[in-house]
Amino acid sequence: MNNDFSSALKKSGLRKTKHRTAVLGVLDGSARPVAAEDVYLSLKEDGVSINLSTVYRVLDTLASSGLVTRLSIAGEPRSLFEINTMEHRHYLVCVGCNKIECIEGCPLKAYEKTLEKQTRYAIAGHRLDIYGYCPECRDKGRGAK
Ligand SMILES: [Zn+2]
Ligand SMILES: [Zn+2]
């Protein structure tokens, strides 16, 4: 996506700044959720002059405006961030190396409907992350049964 995020920022009532655009660019270009430190390193590589505490502040602002989602995943002590796609996501987490991947689609949509019928709850959402050992970790003999 080639995007200067002007309209997204405007919709969220945020002023467009160089730093906000740059941070959104890193999140948008990443296939998986990233920590503030990763955003910082990637910006530094691109020659953007920014310091880590600014990255934290920008991420905080973007997260509270809803443009960015903050994830806390068990086993990962840092908060991870990704562009809020409005679509909820699920993650596959490697407990060997803490790698995180998005799972395509949601396996729980039909189950929610069944559960609503069974319980008369109006289901508002759910959380689901799946843990295991990734292929690389398995090749190193981890997670063997
Ligand atoms: Zn792994
Ligand atoms: Zn889901």
Side-chain angles (χ1 to χ4, degrees):
M1 213 197 315
N2 222 338
N3 192 335
D4 72 352
F5 308 104
S6 300
S7 59
L9 284 163
K10 209 170 160 194
K11 247 193 256 168
S12 308
L14 292 179
R15 218 156 33 84
K16 186 180 156 189
T17 68
K18 213 171 58 190
H19 285 156
R20 284 172 187 166
T21 307
V23 167
L24 284 167
V26 171
L27 297 183
D28 193 44
S30 168
R32 50 180 58 109
V34 288
E37 289 83 356
D38 305 328
V39 174
Y40 169 68
L41 289 176
S42 155
L43 288 174
K44 238 177 122 184
E45 243 168 59
D46 292 346
V48 179
S49 81
I50 191 167
N51 57 46
L52 184 56
S53 60
T54 306
V55 171
Y56 274 115
R57 208 174 55 233
V58 169
L59 283 168
D60 270 344
T61 308
L62 294 172
S64 43
S65 75
L67 266 182
V68 160
T69 308
R70 181 198 308 263
L71 307 160
S72 22
I73 290 185
E76 167 61 72
R78 305 171 302 177
S79 289
L80 301 179
F81 298 87
E82 66 173 3
I83 298 266
N84 182 0
T85 55
M86 297 310 285
E87 231 171 80
H88 75 277
R89 293 251 193 91
H90 299 296
Y91 300 93
L92 196 53
V93 182
C94 176
V95 295
C97 64
N98 283 344
K99 179 165 66 193
I100 294 169
E101 291 177 60
C102 300
I103 300 168
E104 293 285 326
C106 172
L108 288 178
K109 288 214 173 101
Y111 179 63
E112 280 191 345
K113 292 223 170 73
T114 311
L115 204 59
E116 281 197 334
K117 273 190 201 138
Q118 282 174 357
T119 64
R120 298 189 52 244
Y121 266 64
I123 307 282
H126 55 256
R127 298 178 60 109
L128 169 73
D129 298 315
I130 297 189
Y131 298 88
Y133 287 93
C134 72
E136 290 76 34
C137 285
R138 295 187 68 190
D139 286 347
K140 289 179 208 145
R142 306 185 71 169
K145 289 223 167 100

